[in-house]
Amino acid sequence: MSPIIAFLSVVLAACFVNGAPTGNTIVAFSAGLTHTMPLTSGETIRYNKVFTNIGGGYDVTTGNFKAPKGGVYAFTIHGYDANTDKAMWIELKKNTELLVSISGYNSHSSAGNSVIVYLSAGETVYVQARPNQSFSLFGKIDQVYATFSGYMIGEMDRSQSDSGNIFQQFPNFPAAGRLVILHHQSQGPSTTASQTYNDHHGDKHVVAFAAALTRTVTGNSGDTVRYDKIFTNLGGGYDRNTGVFTAPKSGIYKFDFHAYDSNTDHAMWLELIKNTELLVSLAGYSSHTSAGNSVIVFVGKGERVFVQVRQDQSFPLFGQKNQVYGTCVGHLIGEMDMAQSDSSPLNGNNHFFFGQR
């Protein structure tokens, strides 16, 4: 090996850990509550135990996460109700916009939710008690239930775009780690911003979607849940008309889904399906129950993932515009090219491309 090649190998090894870029390209935080916090009316929850704060976006004194750079971010919240007679009700906010909610109406109930959204540099995300609600969010040093976590999936700078609404104009617009959106330059009547991007950047995609229920729907045996509110759909994989995510690229994906049961006499029972294979389930067997689950799994290009009502079950899934409990969220962790591998994706001998290519 030549000295130049050896030097470059050392530099590249220093810039990547497990295939993911290190240093300033990573933004991630996670914080928890180690004491019980009484909440009376719309307070921002200040999580006092900081596990991780790469990029310095989380402020323990305010409870706010302030995006240090523009990009696509994933957030997760969890809570635990310390009350016997008061409902826990907290909300994840972006600036003043409600993203998702969690609630617990029974003593010692826990709940969680997830979302993926775009943030411009300087925008804030925080967890807030529902206004006009009074309850206590439980926590102890040795019992950390209430948490607030987030990380940047891919960097994106919209400041160089002449559109502040580019996701709505081009729902299949591909983002990428360290992506700078280019001004559209006319290259003929059929050229789009997405095509212009592809001409410059090839196949470097962030694949991420987040969808939610903003209305109550009745799920009958075997129905696919069709989430009506789309927060994010980078890569265009989620179809709101069918409720199905079709993978635009092969790779390792993470999926989260959550639901809320408002029934008194019907059990909630949902399943996350890949093609025809059951991945994971969630269930609620009492009135006002929240439930969720997650999985990391290989999905081939063109394969389908969706949330389905359990066979022989029927129940309403609760949702309102100001109470967003039912969600389905997913994103590509790392691309995997199965064409270059002659082995199962589960035995560790595949050719992986970690991170967004």
PDB file of all heavy atoms in Angstrom, residues 3 19 37 43 51 55 76 93 113 126-127 151 183 186 191 198 200 204 209 229-230 237 258 264 294-295 334 343 346:
ATOM      1  N   PRO A   3       2.091   5.138   0.573  1.00  0.00           N
ATOM      2  CA  PRO A   3       1.913   6.046   1.722  1.00  0.00           C
ATOM      3  C   PRO A   3       0.678   6.934   1.575  1.00  0.00           C
ATOM      4  O   PRO A   3       0.001   7.215   2.551  1.00  0.00           O
ATOM      5  CB  PRO A   3       3.212   6.870   1.715  1.00  0.00           C
ATOM      6  CG  PRO A   3       4.209   6.012   1.006  1.00  0.00           C
ATOM      7  CD  PRO A   3       3.441   5.266  -0.028  1.00  0.00           C
ATOM      8  N   GLY A  19     -19.667   3.378   9.846  1.00  0.00           N
ATOM      9  CA  GLY A  19     -20.171   3.819   8.567  1.00  0.00           C
ATOM     10  C   GLY A  19     -20.903   5.139   8.592  1.00  0.00           C
ATOM     11  O   GLY A  19     -21.332   5.630   7.571  1.00  0.00           O
ATOM     12  N   MET A  37     -43.085  15.932  38.306  1.00  0.00           N
ATOM     13  CA  MET A  37     -43.316  17.334  37.980  1.00  0.00           C
ATOM     14  C   MET A  37     -44.811  17.624  37.949  1.00  0.00           C
ATOM     15  O   MET A  37     -45.529  17.154  37.062  1.00  0.00           O
ATOM     16  CB  MET A  37     -42.692  17.669  36.621  1.00  0.00           C
ATOM     17  CG  MET A  37     -42.894  19.118  36.181  1.00  0.00           C
ATOM     18  SD  MET A  37     -42.128  19.477  34.558  1.00  0.00           S
ATOM     19  CE  MET A  37     -40.397  19.396  35.010  1.00  0.00           C
ATOM     20  N   GLU A  43     -47.334  24.222  30.771  1.00  0.00           N
ATOM     21  CA  GLU A  43     -45.904  24.426  30.986  1.00  0.00           C
ATOM     22  C   GLU A  43     -45.069  23.591  30.003  1.00  0.00           C
ATOM     23  O   GLU A  43     -45.456  22.500  29.605  1.00  0.00           O
ATOM     24  CB  GLU A  43     -45.487  24.029  32.409  1.00  0.00           C
ATOM     25  CG  GLU A  43     -46.146  24.821  33.515  1.00  0.00           C
ATOM     26  CD  GLU A  43     -47.384  24.157  34.053  1.00  0.00           C
ATOM     27  OE1 GLU A  43     -48.012  23.347  33.325  1.00  0.00           O
ATOM     28  OE2 GLU A  43     -47.738  24.444  35.206  1.00  0.00           O
ATOM     29  N   PHE A  51     -28.823  12.657  28.681  1.00  0.00           N
ATOM     30  CA  PHE A  51     -28.008  11.496  28.319  1.00  0.00           C
ATOM     31  C   PHE A  51     -27.055  11.832  27.179  1.00  0.00           C
ATOM     32  O   PHE A  51     -25.896  11.407  27.180  1.00  0.00           O
ATOM     33  CB  PHE A  51     -28.907  10.332  27.881  1.00  0.00           C
ATOM     34  CG  PHE A  51     -29.853   9.843  28.933  1.00  0.00           C
ATOM     35  CD1 PHE A  51     -31.174  10.251  28.930  1.00  0.00           C
ATOM     36  CD2 PHE A  51     -29.433   8.982  29.926  1.00  0.00           C
ATOM     37  CE1 PHE A  51     -32.064   9.795  29.897  1.00  0.00           C
ATOM     38  CE2 PHE A  51     -30.299   8.518  30.901  1.00  0.00           C
ATOM     39  CZ  PHE A  51     -31.627   8.933  30.883  1.00  0.00           C
ATOM     40  N   GLY A  55     -24.238  18.374  19.330  1.00  0.00           N
ATOM     41  CA  GLY A  55     -24.684  19.540  18.574  1.00  0.00           C
ATOM     42  C   GLY A  55     -25.213  20.641  19.465  1.00  0.00           C
ATOM     43  O   GLY A  55     -25.434  21.761  19.002  1.00  0.00           O
ATOM     44  N   THR A  76     -39.016  11.491  19.546  1.00  0.00           N
ATOM     45  CA  THR A  76     -39.823  10.531  20.302  1.00  0.00           C
ATOM     46  C   THR A  76     -40.034  11.073  21.709  1.00  0.00           C
ATOM     47  O   THR A  76     -39.106  11.620  22.316  1.00  0.00           O
ATOM     48  CB  THR A  76     -39.121   9.163  20.393  1.00  0.00           C
ATOM     49  OG1 THR A  76     -38.855   8.681  19.071  1.00  0.00           O
ATOM     50  CG2 THR A  76     -39.997   8.148  21.104  1.00  0.00           C
ATOM     51  N   LYS A  93     -44.496  19.982  20.399  1.00  0.00           N
ATOM     52  CA  LYS A  93     -44.738  21.169  19.590  1.00  0.00           C
ATOM     53  C   LYS A  93     -43.491  21.523  18.770  1.00  0.00           C
ATOM     54  O   LYS A  93     -42.357  21.369  19.228  1.00  0.00           O
ATOM     55  CB  LYS A  93     -45.084  22.369  20.485  1.00  0.00           C
ATOM     56  CG  LYS A  93     -46.388  22.234  21.280  1.00  0.00           C
ATOM     57  CD  LYS A  93     -47.587  22.485  20.397  1.00  0.00           C
ATOM     58  CE  LYS A  93     -48.867  22.670  21.167  1.00  0.00           C
ATOM     59  NZ  LYS A  93     -48.960  23.953  21.880  1.00  0.00           N
ATOM     60  N   ASN A 113     -45.033   8.539  21.687  1.00  0.00           N
ATOM     61  CA  ASN A 113     -45.348   8.835  20.303  1.00  0.00           C
ATOM     62  C   ASN A 113     -44.087   9.289  19.581  1.00  0.00           C
ATOM     63  O   ASN A 113     -43.077   9.631  20.217  1.00  0.00           O
ATOM     64  CB  ASN A 113     -46.449   9.892  20.187  1.00  0.00           C
ATOM     65  CG  ASN A 113     -47.383   9.633  19.021  1.00  0.00           C
ATOM     66  OD1 ASN A 113     -47.001   9.013  18.029  1.00  0.00           O
ATOM     67  ND2 ASN A 113     -48.617  10.102  19.140  1.00  0.00           N
ATOM     68  N   TYR A 126     -40.341  21.214  21.479  1.00  0.00           N
ATOM     69  CA  TYR A 126     -40.396  21.060  22.927  1.00  0.00           C
ATOM     70  C   TYR A 126     -41.638  20.266  23.297  1.00  0.00           C
ATOM     71  O   TYR A 126     -42.554  20.076  22.475  1.00  0.00           O
ATOM     72  CB  TYR A 126     -40.412  22.430  23.615  1.00  0.00           C
ATOM     73  CG  TYR A 126     -41.519  23.340  23.124  1.00  0.00           C
ATOM     74  CD1 TYR A 126     -42.744  23.433  23.785  1.00  0.00           C
ATOM     75  CD2 TYR A 126     -41.339  24.117  21.967  1.00  0.00           C
ATOM     76  CE1 TYR A 126     -43.754  24.261  23.322  1.00  0.00           C
ATOM     77  CE2 TYR A 126     -42.343  24.951  21.495  1.00  0.00           C
ATOM     78  CZ  TYR A 126     -43.543  25.017  22.172  1.00  0.00           C
ATOM     79  OH  TYR A 126     -44.542  25.823  21.700  1.00  0.00           O
ATOM     80  N   VAL A 127     -41.686  19.811  24.539  1.00  0.00           N
ATOM     81  CA  VAL A 127     -42.826  19.051  25.059  1.00  0.00           C
ATOM     82  C   VAL A 127     -43.564  19.944  26.046  1.00  0.00           C
ATOM     83  O   VAL A 127     -42.954  20.532  26.946  1.00  0.00           O
ATOM     84  CB  VAL A 127     -42.372  17.755  25.744  1.00  0.00           C
ATOM     85  CG1 VAL A 127     -43.582  16.957  26.213  1.00  0.00           C
ATOM     86  CG2 VAL A 127     -41.514  16.916  24.799  1.00  0.00           C
ATOM     87  N   TYR A 151     -33.065  13.220  16.839  1.00  0.00           N
ATOM     88  CA  TYR A 151     -31.811  13.192  16.082  1.00  0.00           C
ATOM     89  C   TYR A 151     -32.086  13.618  14.651  1.00  0.00           C
ATOM     90  O   TYR A 151     -33.202  13.500  14.141  1.00  0.00           O
ATOM     91  CB  TYR A 151     -31.149  11.817  16.114  1.00  0.00           C
ATOM     92  CG  TYR A 151     -31.996  10.689  15.562  1.00  0.00           C
ATOM     93  CD1 TYR A 151     -31.873  10.274  14.248  1.00  0.00           C
ATOM     94  CD2 TYR A 151     -32.904  10.028  16.380  1.00  0.00           C
ATOM     95  CE1 TYR A 151     -32.636   9.235  13.751  1.00  0.00           C
ATOM     96  CE2 TYR A 151     -33.672   8.987  15.902  1.00  0.00           C
ATOM     97  CZ  TYR A 151     -33.540   8.598  14.575  1.00  0.00           C
ATOM     98  OH  TYR A 151     -34.309   7.567  14.086  1.00  0.00           O
ATOM     99  N   HIS A 183     -31.237  26.171  -6.629  1.00  0.00           N
ATOM    100  CA  HIS A 183     -32.238  26.904  -7.399  1.00  0.00           C
ATOM    101  C   HIS A 183     -32.502  26.142  -8.682  1.00  0.00           C
ATOM    102  O   HIS A 183     -31.592  25.627  -9.320  1.00  0.00           O
ATOM    103  CB  HIS A 183     -31.731  28.308  -7.762  1.00  0.00           C
ATOM    104  CG  HIS A 183     -31.868  29.277  -6.642  1.00  0.00           C
ATOM    105  ND1 HIS A 183     -33.079  29.717  -6.180  1.00  0.00           N
ATOM    106  CD2 HIS A 183     -30.921  29.895  -5.874  1.00  0.00           C
ATOM    107  CE1 HIS A 183     -32.895  30.580  -5.197  1.00  0.00           C
ATOM    108  NE2 HIS A 183     -31.590  30.696  -4.993  1.00  0.00           N
ATOM    109  N   SER A 186     -33.613  26.360 -15.617  1.00  0.00           N
ATOM    110  CA  SER A 186     -34.371  25.790 -16.728  1.00  0.00           C
ATOM    111  C   SER A 186     -33.470  24.967 -17.630  1.00  0.00           C
ATOM    112  O   SER A 186     -32.428  25.412 -18.084  1.00  0.00           O
ATOM    113  CB  SER A 186     -35.025  26.912 -17.540  1.00  0.00           C
ATOM    114  OG  SER A 186     -35.709  26.352 -18.642  1.00  0.00           O
ATOM    115  N   THR A 191     -38.205  19.779 -17.274  1.00  0.00           N
ATOM    116  CA  THR A 191     -37.307  19.644 -16.138  1.00  0.00           C
ATOM    117  C   THR A 191     -37.977  20.093 -14.847  1.00  0.00           C
ATOM    118  O   THR A 191     -38.616  21.136 -14.807  1.00  0.00           O
ATOM    119  CB  THR A 191     -36.038  20.476 -16.358  1.00  0.00           C
ATOM    120  OG1 THR A 191     -35.429  20.042 -17.577  1.00  0.00           O
ATOM    121  CG2 THR A 191     -35.058  20.294 -15.207  1.00  0.00           C
ATOM    122  N   ASN A 198     -31.426  15.351  -9.106  1.00  0.00           N
ATOM    123  CA  ASN A 198     -30.890  14.047  -9.473  1.00  0.00           C
ATOM    124  C   ASN A 198     -29.729  14.176 -10.442  1.00  0.00           C
ATOM    125  O   ASN A 198     -28.775  13.399 -10.378  1.00  0.00           O
ATOM    126  CB  ASN A 198     -31.989  13.179 -10.089  1.00  0.00           C
ATOM    127  CG  ASN A 198     -32.931  12.625  -9.039  1.00  0.00           C
ATOM    128  OD1 ASN A 198     -32.507  12.377  -7.924  1.00  0.00           O
ATOM    129  ND2 ASN A 198     -34.192  12.448  -9.398  1.00  0.00           N
ATOM    130  N   HIS A 200     -27.494  16.413 -10.428  1.00  0.00           N
ATOM    131  CA  HIS A 200     -26.307  16.830  -9.684  1.00  0.00           C
ATOM    132  C   HIS A 200     -25.861  15.805  -8.652  1.00  0.00           C
ATOM    133  O   HIS A 200     -24.690  15.711  -8.326  1.00  0.00           O
ATOM    134  CB  HIS A 200     -26.562  18.167  -8.980  1.00  0.00           C
ATOM    135  CG  HIS A 200     -26.565  19.328  -9.908  1.00  0.00           C
ATOM    136  ND1 HIS A 200     -27.663  19.676 -10.664  1.00  0.00           N
ATOM    137  CD2 HIS A 200     -25.591  20.230 -10.223  1.00  0.00           C
ATOM    138  CE1 HIS A 200     -27.371  20.750 -11.392  1.00  0.00           C
ATOM    139  NE2 HIS A 200     -26.140  21.106 -11.136  1.00  0.00           N
ATOM    140  N   LYS A 204     -28.468   9.924  -4.075  1.00  0.00           N
ATOM    141  CA  LYS A 204     -28.305  10.180  -2.645  1.00  0.00           C
ATOM    142  C   LYS A 204     -29.637  10.620  -2.041  1.00  0.00           C
ATOM    143  O   LYS A 204     -29.981  11.788  -2.080  1.00  0.00           O
ATOM    144  CB  LYS A 204     -27.236  11.250  -2.415  1.00  0.00           C
ATOM    145  CG  LYS A 204     -25.847  10.820  -2.860  1.00  0.00           C
ATOM    146  CD  LYS A 204     -24.829  11.904  -2.565  1.00  0.00           C
ATOM    147  CE  LYS A 204     -23.435  11.485  -3.018  1.00  0.00           C
ATOM    148  NZ  LYS A 204     -22.446  12.524  -2.751  1.00  0.00           N
ATOM    149  N   PHE A 209     -40.675   9.058   6.267  1.00  0.00           N
ATOM    150  CA  PHE A 209     -42.072   9.472   6.217  1.00  0.00           C
ATOM    151  C   PHE A 209     -42.642   9.488   7.633  1.00  0.00           C
ATOM    152  O   PHE A 209     -42.170   8.760   8.520  1.00  0.00           O
ATOM    153  CB  PHE A 209     -42.907   8.545   5.325  1.00  0.00           C
ATOM    154  CG  PHE A 209     -43.252   7.221   5.958  1.00  0.00           C
ATOM    155  CD1 PHE A 209     -44.486   7.035   6.580  1.00  0.00           C
ATOM    156  CD2 PHE A 209     -42.353   6.170   5.944  1.00  0.00           C
ATOM    157  CE1 PHE A 209     -44.806   5.820   7.179  1.00  0.00           C
ATOM    158  CE2 PHE A 209     -42.661   4.955   6.524  1.00  0.00           C
ATOM    159  CZ  PHE A 209     -43.898   4.772   7.154  1.00  0.00           C
ATOM    160  N   LYS A 229     -52.887  12.722   7.777  1.00  0.00           N
ATOM    161  CA  LYS A 229     -52.000  13.879   7.871  1.00  0.00           C
ATOM    162  C   LYS A 229     -50.565  13.441   7.603  1.00  0.00           C
ATOM    163  O   LYS A 229     -50.036  12.555   8.274  1.00  0.00           O
ATOM    164  CB  LYS A 229     -52.089  14.536   9.250  1.00  0.00           C
ATOM    165  CG  LYS A 229     -51.161  15.748   9.385  1.00  0.00           C
ATOM    166  CD  LYS A 229     -51.392  16.528  10.654  1.00  0.00           C
ATOM    167  CE  LYS A 229     -50.506  17.764  10.713  1.00  0.00           C
ATOM    168  NZ  LYS A 229     -50.779  18.599  11.893  1.00  0.00           N
ATOM    169  N   ILE A 230     -49.930  14.077   6.617  1.00  0.00           N
ATOM    170  CA  ILE A 230     -48.561  13.735   6.246  1.00  0.00           C
ATOM    171  C   ILE A 230     -47.626  14.837   6.744  1.00  0.00           C
ATOM    172  O   ILE A 230     -47.695  15.977   6.280  1.00  0.00           O
ATOM    173  CB  ILE A 230     -48.411  13.579   4.723  1.00  0.00           C
ATOM    174  CG1 ILE A 230     -49.499  12.672   4.151  1.00  0.00           C
ATOM    175  CG2 ILE A 230     -47.015  13.051   4.385  1.00  0.00           C
ATOM    176  CD1 ILE A 230     -49.525  11.289   4.722  1.00  0.00           C
ATOM    177  N   GLY A 237     -42.397   7.433  -0.578  1.00  0.00           N
ATOM    178  CA  GLY A 237     -42.775   6.043  -0.372  1.00  0.00           C
ATOM    179  C   GLY A 237     -44.150   5.825   0.222  1.00  0.00           C
ATOM    180  O   GLY A 237     -44.760   4.771   0.010  1.00  0.00           O
ATOM    181  N   HIS A 258     -48.010   4.048  16.660  1.00  0.00           N
ATOM    182  CA  HIS A 258     -48.702   4.292  17.923  1.00  0.00           C
ATOM    183  C   HIS A 258     -50.192   4.431  17.665  1.00  0.00           C
ATOM    184  O   HIS A 258     -50.617   4.815  16.570  1.00  0.00           O
ATOM    185  CB  HIS A 258     -48.178   5.560  18.609  1.00  0.00           C
ATOM    186  CG  HIS A 258     -46.747   5.481  19.008  1.00  0.00           C
ATOM    187  ND1 HIS A 258     -45.718   5.789  18.144  1.00  0.00           N
ATOM    188  CD2 HIS A 258     -46.158   5.124  20.178  1.00  0.00           C
ATOM    189  CE1 HIS A 258     -44.554   5.627  18.775  1.00  0.00           C
ATOM    190  NE2 HIS A 258     -44.807   5.234  19.994  1.00  0.00           N
ATOM    191  N   THR A 264     -64.723   1.496  25.418  1.00  0.00           N
ATOM    192  CA  THR A 264     -64.954   0.902  26.736  1.00  0.00           C
ATOM    193  C   THR A 264     -65.239  -0.588  26.619  1.00  0.00           C
ATOM    194  O   THR A 264     -65.196  -1.302  27.608  1.00  0.00           O
ATOM    195  CB  THR A 264     -66.157   1.572  27.426  1.00  0.00           C
ATOM    196  OG1 THR A 264     -67.315   1.449  26.586  1.00  0.00           O
ATOM    197  CG2 THR A 264     -65.865   3.036  27.673  1.00  0.00           C
ATOM    198  N   SER A 294     -42.053  -0.682  17.901  1.00  0.00           N
ATOM    199  CA  SER A 294     -41.015  -0.305  16.945  1.00  0.00           C
ATOM    200  C   SER A 294     -40.319  -1.554  16.433  1.00  0.00           C
ATOM    201  O   SER A 294     -40.308  -2.593  17.096  1.00  0.00           O
ATOM    202  CB  SER A 294     -39.954   0.590  17.603  1.00  0.00           C
ATOM    203  OG  SER A 294     -40.515   1.702  18.223  1.00  0.00           O
ATOM    204  N   VAL A 295     -39.710  -1.417  15.261  1.00  0.00           N
ATOM    205  CA  VAL A 295     -38.923  -2.526  14.724  1.00  0.00           C
ATOM    206  C   VAL A 295     -37.898  -1.957  13.747  1.00  0.00           C
ATOM    207  O   VAL A 295     -38.130  -0.911  13.128  1.00  0.00           O
ATOM    208  CB  VAL A 295     -39.835  -3.566  14.016  1.00  0.00           C
ATOM    209  CG1 VAL A 295     -40.438  -2.991  12.742  1.00  0.00           C
ATOM    210  CG2 VAL A 295     -39.096  -4.862  13.733  1.00  0.00           C
ATOM    211  N   GLY A 334     -29.817   2.737   6.793  1.00  0.00           N
ATOM    212  CA  GLY A 334     -28.658   2.517   5.939  1.00  0.00           C
ATOM    213  C   GLY A 334     -29.045   1.715   4.719  1.00  0.00           C
ATOM    214  O   GLY A 334     -29.810   0.758   4.812  1.00  0.00           O
ATOM    215  N   SER A 343     -26.033 -13.759   0.576  1.00  0.00           N
ATOM    216  CA  SER A 343     -26.423 -14.312   1.871  1.00  0.00           C
ATOM    217  C   SER A 343     -27.637 -13.583   2.414  1.00  0.00           C
ATOM    218  O   SER A 343     -28.021 -12.519   1.948  1.00  0.00           O
ATOM    219  CB  SER A 343     -25.262 -14.191   2.866  1.00  0.00           C
ATOM    220  OG  SER A 343     -24.901 -12.840   3.019  1.00  0.00           O
ATOM    221  N   LEU A 346     -29.834 -11.354   7.506  1.00  0.00           N
ATOM    222  CA  LEU A 346     -29.816 -11.511   8.950  1.00  0.00           C
ATOM    223  C   LEU A 346     -28.540 -12.156   9.472  1.00  0.00           C
ATOM    224  O   LEU A 346     -28.347 -12.260  10.668  1.00  0.00           O
ATOM    225  CB  LEU A 346     -31.029 -12.363   9.391  1.00  0.00           C
ATOM    226  CG  LEU A 346     -32.393 -11.794   9.015  1.00  0.00           C
ATOM    227  CD1 LEU A 346     -33.492 -12.717   9.515  1.00  0.00           C
ATOM    228  CD2 LEU A 346     -32.588 -10.409   9.583  1.00  0.00           C
TER     229      LEU A 346
END
